[in-house]
Amino acid sequence: MSQKFKLAVIQMKISESKVDSVHKAIENVAYMADKGANMVVLPEMFNCPYETYRFPAYAEAEGGDTYQRLSKIAKEKKVYLVAGSVPEVEADRIYNTTYIFGPSGDLIGKHRKMHLFEIDIVNGQYFREAETLTAGKSVTVVDTEFGKIGVAICFDVRFPELARLMAQQGAEMLIYPAAFNMTTGPAHWELLFRSRAIDQQVFTVGCAPARDYESNYISYGNSIIVNPWGEVIGRLNDEEGYLFGEIDLSEVSQIRAQLPLNQSIRDDVYELKTILKED
Ligand SMILES: O=C(O)CCC(=O)C(=O)O
């Protein structure tokens, strides 16, 4: 089984119009697939401005219009699609959800953001996703022909426990659609992606919206790919664009063979386990 593939990370501006944003995302996926990408990643909340009060109006149920279009383009272009995230409604609850489609257009996994973003910086950034969102409860790892991929969303990257659980389930790459801001982005973004990469010895990927000074929540951008040694192998700045990564997941086992952290885990002293497994 080849563990080599081409990964495309799309950094795009999000507009007020859901139709326009979805159209743009689909065009980008098609463009990257035509350039040879096997797997394409979109940013967090790519079909909705990142503002809590907007989530209910933009939300769709699983299988809705955005979902159908994503599935169709994955199938047409025969790519894995880690479809950013979108507001998802189920019953009276709204989730921040990533759908993951395989090259046949089938849904191969779905992650509901597990840690809801909560920040209140003195005279600065404020955001409380819990105003309108409900947190997910499941750890998400999907099987691909190249290996297992863990998927989580933005604030989830701050929690090493979740990264560990994904790695324990075999994930060799952790992909986070994300949208850091101009306060925490410069301070923590790269450090977090490098930290999760070195503590689990995996590839990490952050895919963000491009920066838009007109929007109320200004995304930091800086989409990033980090290898299992903790080196940044691709990084954008603030503008629209894409990253194209030549990934070889066998680097994970090579690094682990030379620096076998897993052998030194003291599971006689501490343990990490899931308690709830289903949303
Ligand atoms: O953790 C942060 O600093 C930013 C998180 C965030 O923007 C999000 O979860 O959407």
Side-chain angles (χ1 to χ4, degrees), residues 44 50 96 113 115-117 119 129 153-158 178-181 184-185 188 192 217:
E44 183 180 21
Y50 191 61
N96 184 343
K113 191 175 192 174
H115 305 89
L116 295 182
F117 182 33
I119 190 167
E129 284 191 314
I153 303 174
C154 202
F155 201 51
D156 283 337
V157 76
R158 289 188 179 272
F180 271 41
N181 51 75
T184 59
H188 300 155
L192 282 165
Y217 181 93

mmCIF file with all atom_site columns, all heavy atoms in Angstrom, residues 44 50 96 113 115-117 119 129 153-158 178-181 184-185 188 192 217, ligand 1:
data_model
loop_
_atom_site.group_PDB
_atom_site.id
_atom_site.type_symbol
_atom_site.label_atom_id
_atom_site.label_alt_id
_atom_site.label_comp_id
_atom_site.label_asym_id
_atom_site.label_entity_id
_atom_site.label_seq_id
_atom_site.pdbx_PDB_ins_code
_atom_site.Cartn_x
_atom_site.Cartn_y
_atom_site.Cartn_z
_atom_site.occupancy
_atom_site.B_iso_or_equiv
_atom_site.pdbx_formal_charge
_atom_site.auth_seq_id
_atom_site.auth_comp_id
_atom_site.auth_asym_id
_atom_site.auth_atom_id
_atom_site.pdbx_PDB_model_num
ATOM   1   N N   . GLU A 1 44  ? -12.395 25.976 8.157  1.00 0.00 ? 44  GLU A N   1
ATOM   2   C CA  . GLU A 1 44  ? -13.518 25.950 9.102  1.00 0.00 ? 44  GLU A CA  1
ATOM   3   C C   . GLU A 1 44  ? -14.608 26.933 8.643  1.00 0.00 ? 44  GLU A C   1
ATOM   4   O O   . GLU A 1 44  ? -14.304 28.009 8.147  1.00 0.00 ? 44  GLU A O   1
ATOM   5   C CB  . GLU A 1 44  ? -13.018 26.368 10.501 1.00 0.00 ? 44  GLU A CB  1
ATOM   6   C CG  . GLU A 1 44  ? -14.118 26.286 11.564 1.00 0.00 ? 44  GLU A CG  1
ATOM   7   C CD  . GLU A 1 44  ? -13.658 26.698 12.964 1.00 0.00 ? 44  GLU A CD  1
ATOM   8   O OE1 . GLU A 1 44  ? -12.640 27.423 13.095 1.00 0.00 ? 44  GLU A OE1 1
ATOM   9   O OE2 . GLU A 1 44  ? -14.323 26.288 13.935 1.00 0.00 ? 44  GLU A OE2 1
ATOM   10  N N   . TYR A 1 50  ? -17.992 33.618 10.206 1.00 0.00 ? 50  TYR A N   1
ATOM   11  C CA  . TYR A 1 50  ? -17.738 33.040 11.521 1.00 0.00 ? 50  TYR A CA  1
ATOM   12  C C   . TYR A 1 50  ? -18.255 33.976 12.621 1.00 0.00 ? 50  TYR A C   1
ATOM   13  O O   . TYR A 1 50  ? -17.517 34.741 13.225 1.00 0.00 ? 50  TYR A O   1
ATOM   14  C CB  . TYR A 1 50  ? -16.234 32.765 11.669 1.00 0.00 ? 50  TYR A CB  1
ATOM   15  C CG  . TYR A 1 50  ? -15.904 31.932 12.872 1.00 0.00 ? 50  TYR A CG  1
ATOM   16  C CD1 . TYR A 1 50  ? -16.402 30.640 13.014 1.00 0.00 ? 50  TYR A CD1 1
ATOM   17  C CD2 . TYR A 1 50  ? -15.100 32.430 13.890 1.00 0.00 ? 50  TYR A CD2 1
ATOM   18  C CE1 . TYR A 1 50  ? -16.116 29.879 14.124 1.00 0.00 ? 50  TYR A CE1 1
ATOM   19  C CE2 . TYR A 1 50  ? -14.796 31.677 15.016 1.00 0.00 ? 50  TYR A CE2 1
ATOM   20  C CZ  . TYR A 1 50  ? -15.310 30.406 15.114 1.00 0.00 ? 50  TYR A CZ  1
ATOM   21  O OH  . TYR A 1 50  ? -15.032 29.650 16.231 1.00 0.00 ? 50  TYR A OH  1
ATOM   22  N N   . ASN A 1 96  ? -20.771 22.419 14.830 1.00 0.00 ? 96  ASN A N   1
ATOM   23  C CA  . ASN A 1 96  ? -19.737 22.839 13.889 1.00 0.00 ? 96  ASN A CA  1
ATOM   24  C C   . ASN A 1 96  ? -19.150 21.530 13.356 1.00 0.00 ? 96  ASN A C   1
ATOM   25  O O   . ASN A 1 96  ? -18.424 20.837 14.067 1.00 0.00 ? 96  ASN A O   1
ATOM   26  C CB  . ASN A 1 96  ? -18.701 23.678 14.658 1.00 0.00 ? 96  ASN A CB  1
ATOM   27  C CG  . ASN A 1 96  ? -17.622 24.269 13.778 1.00 0.00 ? 96  ASN A CG  1
ATOM   28  O OD1 . ASN A 1 96  ? -17.419 23.836 12.652 1.00 0.00 ? 96  ASN A OD1 1
ATOM   29  N ND2 . ASN A 1 96  ? -16.913 25.246 14.310 1.00 0.00 ? 96  ASN A ND2 1
ATOM   30  N N   . LYS A 1 113 ? -17.250 19.405 16.149 1.00 0.00 ? 113 LYS A N   1
ATOM   31  C CA  . LYS A 1 113 ? -16.245 20.053 17.008 1.00 0.00 ? 113 LYS A CA  1
ATOM   32  C C   . LYS A 1 113 ? -16.512 19.694 18.469 1.00 0.00 ? 113 LYS A C   1
ATOM   33  O O   . LYS A 1 113 ? -17.623 19.909 18.971 1.00 0.00 ? 113 LYS A O   1
ATOM   34  C CB  . LYS A 1 113 ? -16.310 21.560 16.804 1.00 0.00 ? 113 LYS A CB  1
ATOM   35  C CG  . LYS A 1 113 ? -15.172 22.346 17.425 1.00 0.00 ? 113 LYS A CG  1
ATOM   36  C CD  . LYS A 1 113 ? -15.312 23.808 17.018 1.00 0.00 ? 113 LYS A CD  1
ATOM   37  C CE  . LYS A 1 113 ? -14.103 24.649 17.317 1.00 0.00 ? 113 LYS A CE  1
ATOM   38  N NZ  . LYS A 1 113 ? -14.240 26.006 16.764 1.00 0.00 ? 113 LYS A NZ  1
ATOM   39  N N   . HIS A 1 115 ? -14.525 20.630 21.281 1.00 0.00 ? 115 HIS A N   1
ATOM   40  C CA  . HIS A 1 115 ? -14.253 21.698 22.250 1.00 0.00 ? 115 HIS A CA  1
ATOM   41  C C   . HIS A 1 115 ? -14.737 23.003 21.647 1.00 0.00 ? 115 HIS A C   1
ATOM   42  O O   . HIS A 1 115 ? -14.207 23.439 20.611 1.00 0.00 ? 115 HIS A O   1
ATOM   43  C CB  . HIS A 1 115 ? -12.754 21.774 22.543 1.00 0.00 ? 115 HIS A CB  1
ATOM   44  C CG  . HIS A 1 115 ? -12.171 20.467 23.015 1.00 0.00 ? 115 HIS A CG  1
ATOM   45  N ND1 . HIS A 1 115 ? -11.679 19.529 22.141 1.00 0.00 ? 115 HIS A ND1 1
ATOM   46  C CD2 . HIS A 1 115 ? -12.020 19.950 24.259 1.00 0.00 ? 115 HIS A CD2 1
ATOM   47  C CE1 . HIS A 1 115 ? -11.245 18.478 22.829 1.00 0.00 ? 115 HIS A CE1 1
ATOM   48  N NE2 . HIS A 1 115 ? -11.438 18.710 24.116 1.00 0.00 ? 115 HIS A NE2 1
ATOM   49  N N   . LEU A 1 116 ? -15.725 23.611 22.255 1.00 0.00 ? 116 LEU A N   1
ATOM   50  C CA  . LEU A 1 116 ? -16.277 24.853 21.693 1.00 0.00 ? 116 LEU A CA  1
ATOM   51  C C   . LEU A 1 116 ? -15.404 26.028 22.103 1.00 0.00 ? 116 LEU A C   1
ATOM   52  O O   . LEU A 1 116 ? -15.012 26.165 23.271 1.00 0.00 ? 116 LEU A O   1
ATOM   53  C CB  . LEU A 1 116 ? -17.720 25.052 22.167 1.00 0.00 ? 116 LEU A CB  1
ATOM   54  C CG  . LEU A 1 116 ? -18.715 23.995 21.660 1.00 0.00 ? 116 LEU A CG  1
ATOM   55  C CD1 . LEU A 1 116 ? -20.130 24.320 22.147 1.00 0.00 ? 116 LEU A CD1 1
ATOM   56  C CD2 . LEU A 1 116 ? -18.708 23.873 20.136 1.00 0.00 ? 116 LEU A CD2 1
ATOM   57  N N   . PHE A 1 117 ? -15.119 26.875 21.138 1.00 0.00 ? 117 PHE A N   1
ATOM   58  C CA  . PHE A 1 117 ? -14.209 28.012 21.327 1.00 0.00 ? 117 PHE A CA  1
ATOM   59  C C   . PHE A 1 117 ? -14.812 29.027 22.297 1.00 0.00 ? 117 PHE A C   1
ATOM   60  O O   . PHE A 1 117 ? -15.950 29.458 22.140 1.00 0.00 ? 117 PHE A O   1
ATOM   61  C CB  . PHE A 1 117 ? -13.961 28.654 19.959 1.00 0.00 ? 117 PHE A CB  1
ATOM   62  C CG  . PHE A 1 117 ? -13.006 29.814 19.949 1.00 0.00 ? 117 PHE A CG  1
ATOM   63  C CD1 . PHE A 1 117 ? -11.925 29.888 20.812 1.00 0.00 ? 117 PHE A CD1 1
ATOM   64  C CD2 . PHE A 1 117 ? -13.178 30.830 19.016 1.00 0.00 ? 117 PHE A CD2 1
ATOM   65  C CE1 . PHE A 1 117 ? -11.040 30.958 20.764 1.00 0.00 ? 117 PHE A CE1 1
ATOM   66  C CE2 . PHE A 1 117 ? -12.299 31.902 18.959 1.00 0.00 ? 117 PHE A CE2 1
ATOM   67  C CZ  . PHE A 1 117 ? -11.231 31.960 19.839 1.00 0.00 ? 117 PHE A CZ  1
ATOM   68  N N   . ILE A 1 119 ? -13.438 32.515 24.380 1.00 0.00 ? 119 ILE A N   1
ATOM   69  C CA  . ILE A 1 119 ? -12.329 33.433 24.631 1.00 0.00 ? 119 ILE A CA  1
ATOM   70  C C   . ILE A 1 119 ? -12.892 34.792 25.026 1.00 0.00 ? 119 ILE A C   1
ATOM   71  O O   . ILE A 1 119 ? -13.927 35.230 24.509 1.00 0.00 ? 119 ILE A O   1
ATOM   72  C CB  . ILE A 1 119 ? -11.411 33.572 23.380 1.00 0.00 ? 119 ILE A CB  1
ATOM   73  C CG1 . ILE A 1 119 ? -10.122 34.336 23.700 1.00 0.00 ? 119 ILE A CG1 1
ATOM   74  C CG2 . ILE A 1 119 ? -12.131 34.240 22.221 1.00 0.00 ? 119 ILE A CG2 1
ATOM   75  C CD1 . ILE A 1 119 ? -9.063  34.229 22.604 1.00 0.00 ? 119 ILE A CD1 1
ATOM   76  N N   . GLU A 1 129 ? -18.623 30.162 21.227 1.00 0.00 ? 129 GLU A N   1
ATOM   77  C CA  . GLU A 1 129 ? -19.405 29.317 20.309 1.00 0.00 ? 129 GLU A CA  1
ATOM   78  C C   . GLU A 1 129 ? -20.639 28.728 20.985 1.00 0.00 ? 129 GLU A C   1
ATOM   79  O O   . GLU A 1 129 ? -21.645 28.469 20.328 1.00 0.00 ? 129 GLU A O   1
ATOM   80  C CB  . GLU A 1 129 ? -18.533 28.184 19.763 1.00 0.00 ? 129 GLU A CB  1
ATOM   81  C CG  . GLU A 1 129 ? -17.568 28.639 18.687 1.00 0.00 ? 129 GLU A CG  1
ATOM   82  C CD  . GLU A 1 129 ? -16.896 27.477 17.966 1.00 0.00 ? 129 GLU A CD  1
ATOM   83  O OE1 . GLU A 1 129 ? -16.433 26.540 18.643 1.00 0.00 ? 129 GLU A OE1 1
ATOM   84  O OE2 . GLU A 1 129 ? -16.823 27.503 16.739 1.00 0.00 ? 129 GLU A OE2 1
ATOM   85  N N   . ILE A 1 153 ? -11.445 20.014 14.787 1.00 0.00 ? 153 ILE A N   1
ATOM   86  C CA  . ILE A 1 153 ? -11.679 21.382 14.303 1.00 0.00 ? 153 ILE A CA  1
ATOM   87  C C   . ILE A 1 153 ? -11.086 22.418 15.251 1.00 0.00 ? 153 ILE A C   1
ATOM   88  O O   . ILE A 1 153 ? -11.414 22.461 16.440 1.00 0.00 ? 153 ILE A O   1
ATOM   89  C CB  . ILE A 1 153 ? -13.199 21.630 14.135 1.00 0.00 ? 153 ILE A CB  1
ATOM   90  C CG1 . ILE A 1 153 ? -13.824 20.592 13.192 1.00 0.00 ? 153 ILE A CG1 1
ATOM   91  C CG2 . ILE A 1 153 ? -13.457 23.046 13.615 1.00 0.00 ? 153 ILE A CG2 1
ATOM   92  C CD1 . ILE A 1 153 ? -15.341 20.680 13.077 1.00 0.00 ? 153 ILE A CD1 1
ATOM   93  N N   . CYS A 1 154 ? -10.228 23.272 14.700 1.00 0.00 ? 154 CYS A N   1
ATOM   94  C CA  . CYS A 1 154 ? -9.735  24.502 15.307 1.00 0.00 ? 154 CYS A CA  1
ATOM   95  C C   . CYS A 1 154 ? -9.413  24.400 16.795 1.00 0.00 ? 154 CYS A C   1
ATOM   96  O O   . CYS A 1 154 ? -8.391  23.832 17.157 1.00 0.00 ? 154 CYS A O   1
ATOM   97  C CB  . CYS A 1 154 ? -10.709 25.644 15.009 1.00 0.00 ? 154 CYS A CB  1
ATOM   98  S SG  . CYS A 1 154 ? -9.891  27.261 15.136 1.00 0.00 ? 154 CYS A SG  1
ATOM   99  N N   . PHE A 1 155 ? -10.263 24.912 17.671 1.00 0.00 ? 155 PHE A N   1
ATOM   100 C CA  . PHE A 1 155 ? -9.996  24.937 19.120 1.00 0.00 ? 155 PHE A CA  1
ATOM   101 C C   . PHE A 1 155 ? -9.627  23.538 19.626 1.00 0.00 ? 155 PHE A C   1
ATOM   102 O O   . PHE A 1 155 ? -8.883  23.412 20.608 1.00 0.00 ? 155 PHE A O   1
ATOM   103 C CB  . PHE A 1 155 ? -11.253 25.452 19.828 1.00 0.00 ? 155 PHE A CB  1
ATOM   104 C CG  . PHE A 1 155 ? -11.044 26.017 21.211 1.00 0.00 ? 155 PHE A CG  1
ATOM   105 C CD1 . PHE A 1 155 ? -10.083 26.969 21.481 1.00 0.00 ? 155 PHE A CD1 1
ATOM   106 C CD2 . PHE A 1 155 ? -11.863 25.603 22.260 1.00 0.00 ? 155 PHE A CD2 1
ATOM   107 C CE1 . PHE A 1 155 ? -9.923  27.501 22.764 1.00 0.00 ? 155 PHE A CE1 1
ATOM   108 C CE2 . PHE A 1 155 ? -11.725 26.137 23.545 1.00 0.00 ? 155 PHE A CE2 1
ATOM   109 C CZ  . PHE A 1 155 ? -10.749 27.081 23.792 1.00 0.00 ? 155 PHE A CZ  1
ATOM   110 N N   . ASP A 1 156 ? -10.142 22.487 18.950 1.00 0.00 ? 156 ASP A N   1
ATOM   111 C CA  . ASP A 1 156 ? -9.795  21.105 19.318 1.00 0.00 ? 156 ASP A CA  1
ATOM   112 C C   . ASP A 1 156 ? -8.276  20.893 19.345 1.00 0.00 ? 156 ASP A C   1
ATOM   113 O O   . ASP A 1 156 ? -7.794  20.011 20.058 1.00 0.00 ? 156 ASP A O   1
ATOM   114 C CB  . ASP A 1 156 ? -10.393 20.104 18.309 1.00 0.00 ? 156 ASP A CB  1
ATOM   115 C CG  . ASP A 1 156 ? -11.894 19.848 18.481 1.00 0.00 ? 156 ASP A CG  1
ATOM   116 O OD1 . ASP A 1 156 ? -12.438 20.061 19.582 1.00 0.00 ? 156 ASP A OD1 1
ATOM   117 O OD2 . ASP A 1 156 ? -12.525 19.399 17.487 1.00 0.00 ? 156 ASP A OD2 1
ATOM   118 N N   . VAL A 1 157 ? -7.531  21.692 18.541 1.00 0.00 ? 157 VAL A N   1
ATOM   119 C CA  . VAL A 1 157 ? -6.075  21.483 18.459 1.00 0.00 ? 157 VAL A CA  1
ATOM   120 C C   . VAL A 1 157 ? -5.378  21.819 19.775 1.00 0.00 ? 157 VAL A C   1
ATOM   121 O O   . VAL A 1 157 ? -4.254  21.393 20.036 1.00 0.00 ? 157 VAL A O   1
ATOM   122 C CB  . VAL A 1 157 ? -5.464  22.310 17.282 1.00 0.00 ? 157 VAL A CB  1
ATOM   123 C CG1 . VAL A 1 157 ? -5.352  23.792 17.610 1.00 0.00 ? 157 VAL A CG1 1
ATOM   124 C CG2 . VAL A 1 157 ? -4.095  21.768 16.876 1.00 0.00 ? 157 VAL A CG2 1
ATOM   125 N N   . ARG A 1 158 ? -6.067  22.602 20.622 1.00 0.00 ? 158 ARG A N   1
ATOM   126 C CA  . ARG A 1 158 ? -5.449  22.980 21.908 1.00 0.00 ? 158 ARG A CA  1
ATOM   127 C C   . ARG A 1 158 ? -5.461  21.846 22.927 1.00 0.00 ? 158 ARG A C   1
ATOM   128 O O   . ARG A 1 158 ? -4.871  21.984 24.007 1.00 0.00 ? 158 ARG A O   1
ATOM   129 C CB  . ARG A 1 158 ? -6.190  24.184 22.512 1.00 0.00 ? 158 ARG A CB  1
ATOM   130 C CG  . ARG A 1 158 ? -5.940  25.472 21.752 1.00 0.00 ? 158 ARG A CG  1
ATOM   131 C CD  . ARG A 1 158 ? -6.520  26.643 22.504 1.00 0.00 ? 158 ARG A CD  1
ATOM   132 N NE  . ARG A 1 158 ? -6.281  27.892 21.816 1.00 0.00 ? 158 ARG A NE  1
ATOM   133 C CZ  . ARG A 1 158 ? -5.185  28.656 21.968 1.00 0.00 ? 158 ARG A CZ  1
ATOM   134 N NH1 . ARG A 1 158 ? -4.235  28.303 22.816 1.00 0.00 ? 158 ARG A NH1 1
ATOM   135 N NH2 . ARG A 1 158 ? -5.064  29.773 21.299 1.00 0.00 ? 158 ARG A NH2 1
ATOM   136 N N   . ALA A 1 178 ? -9.685  25.181 10.475 1.00 0.00 ? 178 ALA A N   1
ATOM   137 C CA  . ALA A 1 178 ? -9.514  26.074 11.626 1.00 0.00 ? 178 ALA A CA  1
ATOM   138 C C   . ALA A 1 178 ? -9.656  27.527 11.209 1.00 0.00 ? 178 ALA A C   1
ATOM   139 O O   . ALA A 1 178 ? -9.614  27.856 10.033 1.00 0.00 ? 178 ALA A O   1
ATOM   140 C CB  . ALA A 1 178 ? -8.130  25.839 12.233 1.00 0.00 ? 178 ALA A CB  1
ATOM   141 N N   . ALA A 1 179 ? -9.833  28.393 12.194 1.00 0.00 ? 179 ALA A N   1
ATOM   142 C CA  . ALA A 1 179 ? -9.890  29.836 11.906 1.00 0.00 ? 179 ALA A CA  1
ATOM   143 C C   . ALA A 1 179 ? -9.421  30.581 13.152 1.00 0.00 ? 179 ALA A C   1
ATOM   144 O O   . ALA A 1 179 ? -10.240 31.081 13.927 1.00 0.00 ? 179 ALA A O   1
ATOM   145 C CB  . ALA A 1 179 ? -11.313 30.254 11.537 1.00 0.00 ? 179 ALA A CB  1
ATOM   146 N N   . PHE A 1 180 ? -8.098  30.600 13.376 1.00 0.00 ? 180 PHE A N   1
ATOM   147 C CA  . PHE A 1 180 ? -7.590  31.392 14.494 1.00 0.00 ? 180 PHE A CA  1
ATOM   148 C C   . PHE A 1 180 ? -7.783  32.875 14.157 1.00 0.00 ? 180 PHE A C   1
ATOM   149 O O   . PHE A 1 180 ? -8.206  33.232 13.061 1.00 0.00 ? 180 PHE A O   1
ATOM   150 C CB  . PHE A 1 180 ? -6.115  31.056 14.765 1.00 0.00 ? 180 PHE A CB  1
ATOM   151 C CG  . PHE A 1 180 ? -5.932  29.906 15.744 1.00 0.00 ? 180 PHE A CG  1
ATOM   152 C CD1 . PHE A 1 180 ? -6.741  28.786 15.696 1.00 0.00 ? 180 PHE A CD1 1
ATOM   153 C CD2 . PHE A 1 180 ? -4.943  29.946 16.725 1.00 0.00 ? 180 PHE A CD2 1
ATOM   154 C CE1 . PHE A 1 180 ? -6.590  27.732 16.604 1.00 0.00 ? 180 PHE A CE1 1
ATOM   155 C CE2 . PHE A 1 180 ? -4.774  28.902 17.635 1.00 0.00 ? 180 PHE A CE2 1
ATOM   156 C CZ  . PHE A 1 180 ? -5.588  27.799 17.577 1.00 0.00 ? 180 PHE A CZ  1
ATOM   157 N N   . ASN A 1 181 ? -7.482  33.728 15.108 1.00 0.00 ? 181 ASN A N   1
ATOM   158 C CA  . ASN A 1 181 ? -7.762  35.162 14.949 1.00 0.00 ? 181 ASN A CA  1
ATOM   159 C C   . ASN A 1 181 ? -6.446  35.931 15.090 1.00 0.00 ? 181 ASN A C   1
ATOM   160 O O   . ASN A 1 181 ? -5.389  35.352 15.304 1.00 0.00 ? 181 ASN A O   1
ATOM   161 C CB  . ASN A 1 181 ? -8.788  35.582 16.014 1.00 0.00 ? 181 ASN A CB  1
ATOM   162 C CG  . ASN A 1 181 ? -8.321  35.124 17.384 1.00 0.00 ? 181 ASN A CG  1
ATOM   163 O OD1 . ASN A 1 181 ? -7.417  35.700 17.972 1.00 0.00 ? 181 ASN A OD1 1
ATOM   164 N ND2 . ASN A 1 181 ? -8.916  34.039 17.887 1.00 0.00 ? 181 ASN A ND2 1
ATOM   165 N N   . THR A 1 184 ? -4.817  35.248 18.953 1.00 0.00 ? 184 THR A N   1
ATOM   166 C CA  . THR A 1 184 ? -4.210  33.950 19.278 1.00 0.00 ? 184 THR A CA  1
ATOM   167 C C   . THR A 1 184 ? -3.421  33.365 18.108 1.00 0.00 ? 184 THR A C   1
ATOM   168 O O   . THR A 1 184 ? -2.563  32.505 18.319 1.00 0.00 ? 184 THR A O   1
ATOM   169 C CB  . THR A 1 184 ? -5.282  32.934 19.725 1.00 0.00 ? 184 THR A CB  1
ATOM   170 O OG1 . THR A 1 184 ? -6.230  32.767 18.659 1.00 0.00 ? 184 THR A OG1 1
ATOM   171 C CG2 . THR A 1 184 ? -5.987  33.398 20.975 1.00 0.00 ? 184 THR A CG2 1
ATOM   172 N N   . GLY A 1 185 ? -3.712  33.830 16.885 1.00 0.00 ? 185 GLY A N   1
ATOM   173 C CA  . GLY A 1 185 ? -2.986  33.303 15.724 1.00 0.00 ? 185 GLY A CA  1
ATOM   174 C C   . GLY A 1 185 ? -1.485  33.535 15.825 1.00 0.00 ? 185 GLY A C   1
ATOM   175 O O   . GLY A 1 185 ? -0.696  32.573 15.861 1.00 0.00 ? 185 GLY A O   1
ATOM   176 N N   . HIS A 1 188 ? -0.052  31.605 19.048 1.00 0.00 ? 188 HIS A N   1
ATOM   177 C CA  . HIS A 1 188 ? -0.120  30.162 19.327 1.00 0.00 ? 188 HIS A CA  1
ATOM   178 C C   . HIS A 1 188 ? -0.240  29.228 18.128 1.00 0.00 ? 188 HIS A C   1
ATOM   179 O O   . HIS A 1 188 ? -0.040  28.021 18.277 1.00 0.00 ? 188 HIS A O   1
ATOM   180 C CB  . HIS A 1 188 ? -1.338  29.881 20.249 1.00 0.00 ? 188 HIS A CB  1
ATOM   181 C CG  . HIS A 1 188 ? -1.286  30.588 21.544 1.00 0.00 ? 188 HIS A CG  1
ATOM   182 N ND1 . HIS A 1 188 ? -2.415  30.906 22.277 1.00 0.00 ? 188 HIS A ND1 1
ATOM   183 C CD2 . HIS A 1 188 ? -0.230  31.074 22.267 1.00 0.00 ? 188 HIS A CD2 1
ATOM   184 C CE1 . HIS A 1 188 ? -2.069  31.547 23.384 1.00 0.00 ? 188 HIS A CE1 1
ATOM   185 N NE2 . HIS A 1 188 ? -0.753  31.670 23.397 1.00 0.00 ? 188 HIS A NE2 1
ATOM   186 N N   . LEU A 1 192 ? 1.102   25.407 18.241 1.00 0.00 ? 192 LEU A N   1
ATOM   187 C CA  . LEU A 1 192 ? 0.151   24.316 18.497 1.00 0.00 ? 192 LEU A CA  1
ATOM   188 C C   . LEU A 1 192 ? 0.281   23.215 17.453 1.00 0.00 ? 192 LEU A C   1
ATOM   189 O O   . LEU A 1 192 ? 0.284   22.023 17.797 1.00 0.00 ? 192 LEU A O   1
ATOM   190 C CB  . LEU A 1 192 ? -1.288  24.853 18.525 1.00 0.00 ? 192 LEU A CB  1
ATOM   191 C CG  . LEU A 1 192 ? -1.650  25.562 19.831 1.00 0.00 ? 192 LEU A CG  1
ATOM   192 C CD1 . LEU A 1 192 ? -2.926  26.390 19.666 1.00 0.00 ? 192 LEU A CD1 1
ATOM   193 C CD2 . LEU A 1 192 ? -1.834  24.545 20.961 1.00 0.00 ? 192 LEU A CD2 1
ATOM   194 N N   . TYR A 1 217 ? -14.975 38.846 12.412 1.00 0.00 ? 217 TYR A N   1
ATOM   195 C CA  . TYR A 1 217 ? -13.967 37.959 12.993 1.00 0.00 ? 217 TYR A CA  1
ATOM   196 C C   . TYR A 1 217 ? -12.863 37.832 11.951 1.00 0.00 ? 217 TYR A C   1
ATOM   197 O O   . TYR A 1 217 ? -13.092 37.298 10.863 1.00 0.00 ? 217 TYR A O   1
ATOM   198 C CB  . TYR A 1 217 ? -14.586 36.594 13.298 1.00 0.00 ? 217 TYR A CB  1
ATOM   199 C CG  . TYR A 1 217 ? -13.610 35.618 13.915 1.00 0.00 ? 217 TYR A CG  1
ATOM   200 C CD1 . TYR A 1 217 ? -13.502 35.510 15.307 1.00 0.00 ? 217 TYR A CD1 1
ATOM   201 C CD2 . TYR A 1 217 ? -12.806 34.805 13.132 1.00 0.00 ? 217 TYR A CD2 1
ATOM   202 C CE1 . TYR A 1 217 ? -12.603 34.618 15.882 1.00 0.00 ? 217 TYR A CE1 1
ATOM   203 C CE2 . TYR A 1 217 ? -11.913 33.908 13.699 1.00 0.00 ? 217 TYR A CE2 1
ATOM   204 C CZ  . TYR A 1 217 ? -11.817 33.817 15.077 1.00 0.00 ? 217 TYR A CZ  1
ATOM   205 O OH  . TYR A 1 217 ? -10.935 32.922 15.651 1.00 0.00 ? 217 TYR A OH  1
HETATM 206 O O1  . LIG B 2 .   ? -7.957  28.540 19.904 1.00 0.00 ? 1   LIG B O1  1
HETATM 207 C C1  . LIG B 2 .   ? -7.948  29.641 19.361 1.00 0.00 ? 1   LIG B C1  1
HETATM 208 O O2  . LIG B 2 .   ? -7.182  30.535 19.692 1.00 0.00 ? 1   LIG B O2  1
HETATM 209 C C2  . LIG B 2 .   ? -8.860  29.944 18.235 1.00 0.00 ? 1   LIG B C2  1
HETATM 210 C C3  . LIG B 2 .   ? -9.933  28.916 18.125 1.00 0.00 ? 1   LIG B C3  1
HETATM 211 C C4  . LIG B 2 .   ? -10.939 29.250 17.109 1.00 0.00 ? 1   LIG B C4  1
HETATM 212 O O3  . LIG B 2 .   ? -10.903 30.263 16.468 1.00 0.00 ? 1   LIG B O3  1
HETATM 213 C C5  . LIG B 2 .   ? -11.995 28.283 16.825 1.00 0.00 ? 1   LIG B C5  1
HETATM 214 O O4  . LIG B 2 .   ? -12.096 27.286 17.514 1.00 0.00 ? 1   LIG B O4  1
HETATM 215 O O5  . LIG B 2 .   ? -12.733 28.513 15.873 1.00 0.00 ? 1   LIG B O5  1
#
